[in-house]
Amino acid sequence: MSDYIRPRFPGACVFFTVTLANRRSDLLTREIAALRAAVRRTKTERPFTINAWVVLPDHMHCVWTLPEGDCDFSTRWSVIKARFSRAMPPAPRRASHVARREHGIWQRRFWEHHLRSDADKSAAIRYCWINPVKHGLAARPEDWAYSSIHRDGPVHWP
């Protein structure tokens, strides 16, 4: 087993990709209320700033800024994933999921990239918003309902 070590920079701005185990599923958009509740409750207990977020049927991208002095995004993701999973009806699981007390909904890890400049941050936010267009789910970023683009106001796209 690999010994994966994530960087730890307090107050960092980080881009994430989090994916369902079943890449053909529409669970995230179908159960958006449960996902929002899991995020909202976790954010209340362990604050962070959401700079951008987009939820697609089987994965999501987001940009968070952690509070000064705090670098623990892994626990936040673990809690969000667990809360969402517990809100779903039980489903058949592999033995490895049972052994790890997992519901088998999520890929075990997530991808993160620490953003080191304002240009990096802007590019990551733009990537979040354009992703539904890239996947053929919307003609324009603002046409996708599950995006923070609506919170952040009108955006003019080329």
Side-chain angles (χ1 to χ4, degrees), residues 20-142:
L20 293 177
N22 178 358
R23 293 302 305 262
R24 293 186 197 101
S25 176
D26 68 346
L27 186 65
L28 293 177
T29 51
R30 185 168 26 96
E31 297 291 346
I32 193 71
L35 179 60
R36 286 177 174 151
V39 171
R40 190 173 21 257
R41 185 168 169 207
T42 303
K43 193 172 179 283
T44 298
E45 295 169 358
R46 298 174 179 273
F48 59 94
T49 300
I50 297 171
N51 304 105
W53 202 308
V54 65
V55 178
L56 287 84
D58 64 344
H59 71 284
M60 55 188 157
H61 301 287
C62 55
V63 177
W64 294 356
T65 301
L66 297 171
E68 287 301 318
D70 188 343
C71 57
D72 188 9
F73 53 82
S74 290
T75 297
R76 287 170 171 87
W77 276 119
S78 178
V79 171
I80 289 168
K81 289 166 122 181
R83 284 182 170 145
F84 179 80
S85 296
R86 284 191 301 266
M88 298 300 104
R93 299 182 295 167
R94 296 190 315 250
S96 63
H97 292 135
V98 173
R100 289 187 164 128
R101 296 180 26 206
E102 296 172 341
H103 291 258
I105 292 173
W106 300 98
Q107 284 189 0
R108 287 201 173 112
R109 299 187 188 267
F110 54 85
W111 186 85
E112 104 278 338
H113 171 70
H114 281 70
L115 306 172
R116 292 171 171 75
S117 69
D118 288 340
D120 266 359
K121 182 178 177 180
S122 294
I125 290 169
R126 184 176 177 87
Y127 184 85
C128 288
W129 290 344
I130 201 72
N131 209 248
V133 176
K134 174 186 164 192
H135 286 281
L137 299 169
R140 302 173 310 148
E142 54 272 17

